[in-house]
Structures are given as structure tokens and as C-alpha cells.
């Protein structure tokens, strides 16, 4: 039996008392009315005439076409839509792997994807180096390959580190996989919140498999629209056969809304990135003000940051914030893996939502008053606590 999903268990443990969310990795969502207001005449017609019968199990052809158009040289039949990126990853990994195979898994990785591999076959983990750039050591990847290695699986841009794979490293990894005839599966759900996204792997490698969806940068996780993009149609058919055992089709309402979002990606993503940029600047200023507690991060990802916490145990810190401030951040230990070492002295702080600004103010005040020097500075301590209470008050109602 695999370990329980640590992130889901952490959220279930704490979310009831949470008023300030710095845990989310998705972006500010759009209310239904705002998304529909972006629909062109064709999508308005689709929406008005929405057929609520069973839909195409692969996803509507016009939706797959819109996904394919994001990538040079891809057609609708190179795309299989699934209920979120998580289902997409799980189905393609199950279609690819047998118990006789071996997989190389780049860590950290989204736990359900890691477990989709380890439930199926032997796996070797290669951890990104905690060297300031989260470098992937390709020599270690090469050394981990076995005669029965079937694929390399990674998540770039990476959660929780925010690391992206530089173009040269992607090319070198593709060259290695090509030499050995390996599939290269990359979960790219955070590509839209990378300031300088690398090309999707499906664009640069004939055995490249891109997993993506609308949950993160588009801020539409409630639609449950994700996909596998891959130029091997036989593999997509096998992936569809796995998916057929899980869900028959997407929600047809979600298909229309997803199509609207993809057509209006420019404006939706511009808004997402602007919110992320502003929150990133706010967080950087906060980290600088509390440099005794945090190492300056120097990251650039717009969905989350992953600073090193110098104040003690990061798990204890996250629990303290949840309990004392109703504020949620994620300790790095949630990405712990049996396949390899990962830093546990960091926290992931989400940046994608407008509400992050006030949550950072709460965090800032808490950190300012935290060393409870009530004997030394009773007046300033009390004043800061009162300010913190005032700041939190409106969100309680
Ligand atoms: C790296 C990664 N992949 C996949 C997912 C799941 O995405 P979806 O909600 O589209 O299934 C997540 C969600 O947090 C994630 O962080």
C-alpha cells in the first residue's frame, strides 16, 4: 500500500480554521460570469445549445484543436483530454509502464504521479540539487538508467522548488532519452506561471509527453480540464483505454468554458502574471525584512516561492502559523519521497491569488512580534498584536 497523499492530509488537518491562504499553487480564478463574458460568438452559441449527453471520450475535437494550437506541428488527434492534469499523468503512466519496467523520477514530484510509477514498477529518484539553481544532474540521470528503463518523469517548472529546466538542459535530457529510446514525460502544469517558459517537451521530442491543464496559471481547477499531448497516437489510444476505466468523458460545460479560456489565454494569463509579480515583490520585501528567519530566495516563479526557513523546524513553524494565525503555508516535508533526499528546511508560499497580499501582511506582523519579548518591549508587542488582530478581523465575518 502506498503512503497517504501528504499534501491532501495536511490540508484536511488544517483547512477548517484557515483565514489566510498562502498554500495555494493555482492562480486567481475567474467567476463563471466573467469567463462567459470573454466568450466569442461561436462559444456563446455552444454554451446556449449545450448538450448534456455523454461527450467524446477524448475531449471535444474543437477543444483538442485549441490545445494542439498551442504547440507547433500538433493536431487535435495528438491530444487526449482528461479530468485534470492528475488524471492525465496517471493514465499515461499506467499506459506506459509494466511491472518489468524501470523509471527514473526527478524529485521533487507531485506525490500522486510518483506513486503512479512506484505502484507499477521499479523506480530511481534523482533529486534536484539544492544549489541555488535547483540543477538537474544529467550525469546522475544517465548513471541511473538500466536496460529496462522505459521513461524519465519530471515536473518542470517544478513544485515546490519553482525550478525551471533551462533550454540547454532540456535539449541535453532529450538527447539522452533519444539515445536510449526513452519516453520523457514532463508535467508542465506550472508552465504558464514561469516568466520565461521553456518549450513544451512535446514540441522538441518525438517521444516527449506533455502533461498540462487549466488548473494552475489559468486559475480554473474547478473545470477539471487537463490533457496529455504526445505525437504517438498509438500511445494516446492506450492512454484512452486506461482513462475509459476511470471516467467516460469530460463535463461538456467544462469543455466549452475551457475553450473560452484557451481562446482568451492572452488576457487571462496577463492578469495571472501581474498578480504573481506583485505578490512576488511583496514576498521578497517581507523575506528581506525578516532575513534572520529566511534566506533570501532569488526565485522567479510566479505561482509560489520556496524560501529556506532559518528559525527552526519548518513543520513546527507551519503548524504554529495555522494554529496561532489561521494562516496556511506548506512545509517542504510534504514533498518527502522514499526515492531520494529533499530539503525539509523550506516552506512553499503561494503567490497566485489577490488575497495573498493581506495574508502576507498577517505573516509579516506575526513574524515581527513572534519572539515574545513581552518583558523587553511590552508596549510595541501589544501594539503590534492589536494591529494584527485588526488586520485579521474583516476576514473572520
Ligand atoms: C505538479 C502538479 N501536477 C498536477 C497537479 C494536479 O493538477 P489538476 O488539478 O489539474 O489535476 C498538481 C496540483 O497541485 C501539481 O502540483
Amino acid at each position: 500500500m502506498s503512503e497517504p497523499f501528504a499534501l491532501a492530509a495536511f490540508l484536511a488537518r488544517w483547512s477548517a480554521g484557515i483565514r489566510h491562504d498562502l498554500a495555494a499553487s493555482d492562480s486567481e480564478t475567474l467567476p463563471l460570469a466573467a469567463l462567459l463574458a470573454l466568450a466569442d460568438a461561436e462559444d456563446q452559441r455552444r454554451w446556449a445549445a449545450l448538450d448534456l449527453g455523454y461527450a467524446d471520450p477524448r475531449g471535444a475535437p474543437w477543444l483538442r484543436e485549441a490545445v494542439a494550437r498551442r504547440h507547433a506541428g500538433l493536431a487535435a488527434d495528438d491530444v487526449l483530454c482528461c479530468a485534470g492534469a492528475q488524471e492525465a499523468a496517471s493514465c499515461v503512466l499506467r499506459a506506459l509502464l509494466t511491472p518489468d519496467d524501470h523509471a527514473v523520477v526527478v524529485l521533487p514530484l507531485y506525490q500522486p504521479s510518483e506513486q503512479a510509477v512506484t505502484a507499477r514498477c521499479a523506480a530511481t529518484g534523482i533529486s534536484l540539487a539544492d544549489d541555488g539553481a535547483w540543477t538537474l544532474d544529467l550525469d546522475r540521470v544517465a548513471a541511473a538508467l538500466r536496460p529496462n528503463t522505459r521513461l524519465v518523469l519530471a515536473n518542470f517548472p517544478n513544485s515546490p522548488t519553482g525550478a525551471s529546466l533551462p533550454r540547454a538542459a532540456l535539449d541535453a535530457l532529450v538527447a539522452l532519452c533519444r539515445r536510449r529510446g526513452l519516453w520523457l514525460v514532463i508535467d508542465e502544469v506550472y508552465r504558464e506561471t514561469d516568466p520565461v517558459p521553456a518549450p513544451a517537451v512535446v514540441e522538441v521530442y518525438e517521444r516527449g509527453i506533455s502533461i498540462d491543464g487549466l488548473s494552475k496559471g489559468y486559475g480554473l481547477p474547478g473545470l477539471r480540464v487537463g490533457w496529455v499531448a504526445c505525437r504517438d497516437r498509438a500511445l494516446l489510444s492506450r492512454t484512452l483505454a486506461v482513462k475509459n476505466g476511470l471516467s467516460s468523458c469530460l463535463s461538456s460545460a467544462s469543455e466549452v468554458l475551457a475553450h473560452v479560456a484557451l481562446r482568451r489565454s492572452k488576457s487571462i494569463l496577463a492578469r495571472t502574471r501581474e498578480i504573481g509579480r506583485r505578490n512576488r515583490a511583496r514576498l521578497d520585501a517581507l523575506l528581506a525584512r525578516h532575513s534572520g528567519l529566511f534566506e533570501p530566495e532569488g526565485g522567479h516563479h510566479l505561482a509560489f516561492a520556496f524560501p529556506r526557513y532559518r528559525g527552526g523546524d519548518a513543520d513546527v513553524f507551519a503548524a504554529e502559523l495555522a494554529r496561532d494565525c489561521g494562516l496556511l503555508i506548506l512545509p517542504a516535508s510534504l514533498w518527502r519521497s522514499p526515492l531520494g533526499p529533499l530539503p525539509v528546511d523550506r516552506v512553499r508560499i503561494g503567490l497566485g491569488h489577490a488575497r495573498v497580499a493581506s495574508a502576507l501582511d498577517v505573516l509579516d506582523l506575526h513574524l515581527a512580534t513572534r519572539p515574545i519579548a513581552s518583558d523587553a518591549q511590552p508596549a510595541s508587542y501589544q501594539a503590534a498584536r492589536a494591529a494584527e488582530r485588526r488586520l485579521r478581523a474583516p476576514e473572520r465575518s
Side-chain angles (χ1 to χ4, degrees):
M1 257 247 320
S2 52
E3 290 287 310
F5 185 11
L7 176 55
F10 183 86
L11 295 177
R13 159 77 181 82
W14 291 109
S15 55
I18 292 305
R19 297 178 302 278
H20 313 286
D21 184 0
L22 290 175
S25 63
D26 58 345
S27 301
E28 187 73 17
T29 195
L30 282 169
L32 176 64
L35 184 55
L36 280 174
L38 297 176
D40 62 14
E42 191 184 18
D43 279 333
Q44 282 174 18
R45 267 197 305 279
R46 283 192 180 114
W47 186 250
L50 195 61
D51 173 349
L52 295 176
Y54 281 112
D56 186 331
R58 296 166 302 167
W62 36 266
L63 176 58
R64 289 184 287 115
E65 177 68 40
V67 172
R69 237 179 276 128
R70 305 162 85 236
H71 306 293
L74 243 62
D77 285 348
D78 300 318
V79 174
L80 171 66
C81 290
C82 294
Q86 183 172 338
E87 186 184 80
S90 163
C91 289
V92 79
L93 291 167
R94 282 166 63 184
L96 278 169
L97 293 169
T98 71
D100 295 332
D101 292 322
H102 168 255
V104 172
V105 169
V106 177
L107 303 173
L109 187 69
Y110 190 55
Q111 191 181 351
S113 297
E114 180 180 316
Q115 290 179 343
V117 171
T118 52
R120 204 101 180 126
C121 70
T124 304
I126 304 291
S127 303
L128 297 175
D130 190 357
D131 59 357
W134 299 110
T135 309
L136 173 61
D137 185 339
L138 287 174
D139 292 338
R140 292 191 57 218
V141 175
L145 298 181
R146 301 179 188 171
N148 62 337
T149 303
R150 182 136 169 91
L151 62 84
V152 176
L153 169 64
N155 162 224
F156 286 112
N158 180 263
S159 171
T161 65
S164 22
L165 196 59
R167 179 64 203 258
L170 173 63
D171 289 345
L173 182 58
V174 165
L176 174 64
C177 290
R178 188 176 277 133
R179 271 199 306 280
R180 298 290 295 258
L182 306 179
W183 297 95
L184 177 54
V185 185
I186 306 195
D187 175 338
E188 296 168 350
V189 293
Y190 295 109
R191 212 166 147 253
E192 310 290 6
T193 39
D194 191 335
V196 194
V201 69
V202 68
E203 293 166 21
V204 296
Y205 182 34
E206 60 283 0
R207 292 195 143 205
I209 299 170
S210 292
I211 307 292
D212 204 345
L214 298 181
S215 297
K216 303 301 180 181
Y218 284 84
L220 297 169
L223 294 186
R224 306 311 302 138
V225 174
W227 55 80
V228 182
C230 155
R231 286 188 266 164
D232 186 309
R233 293 184 182 176
L235 173 61
L236 281 187
S237 295
R238 298 207 309 279
T239 307
L240 174 61
V242 177
K243 187 185 102 75
N244 284 339
L246 299 174
S247 59
S248 41
C249 59
L250 295 192
S251 141
S252 39
S254 287
E255 290 188 314
V256 179
L257 297 170
H259 193 255
V260 174
L262 285 167
R263 281 233 170 132
R264 295 310 193 105
S265 60
K266 234 187 187 153
S267 61
I268 293 175
L269 296 176
R271 168 177 174 267
T272 291
R273 284 156 172 263
E274 186 48 34
I275 292 171
R277 263 193 291 274
R278 272 192 262 125
N279 286 335
R280 166 63 73 175
R282 283 187 187 106
L283 177 69
D284 286 348
L286 180 151
L287 297 181
R289 273 195 298 283
H290 301 284
S291 56
L293 284 176
F294 292 100
E295 202 169 90
E297 206 230 353
H300 59 273
H301 196 69
L302 298 176
F304 42 76
F306 194 50
R308 190 187 307 281
Y309 175 65
R310 292 167 161 157
D313 185 319
D315 290 87
V316 172
F317 178 52
E320 168 196 317
L321 291 176
R323 203 182 40 241
D324 298 352
C325 308
L327 190 149
L328 203 64
I329 60 170
L330 300 180
S333 64
L334 296 178
W335 281 267
R336 199 176 272 144
S337 164
L339 298 180
L342 292 169
V344 289
D345 56 351
R346 290 174 177 268
V347 288
R348 196 187 78 178
I349 297 179
L351 302 173
H353 287 264
R355 63 180 186 244
V356 163
S358 64
L360 286 177
D361 286 345
V362 171
L363 176 62
D364 202 5
L365 269 168
H366 178 76
L367 296 176
T369 58
R370 189 165 166 253
I372 303 181
S374 48
D375 289 345
Q377 309 165 321
S380 60
Y381 175 74
Q382 294 304 337
R385 280 285 178 211
E388 188 179 345
R389 276 197 297 275
R390 277 198 302 279
L391 197 66
R392 291 187 200 159
E395 299 206 16
R396 263 199 207 118
S397 56

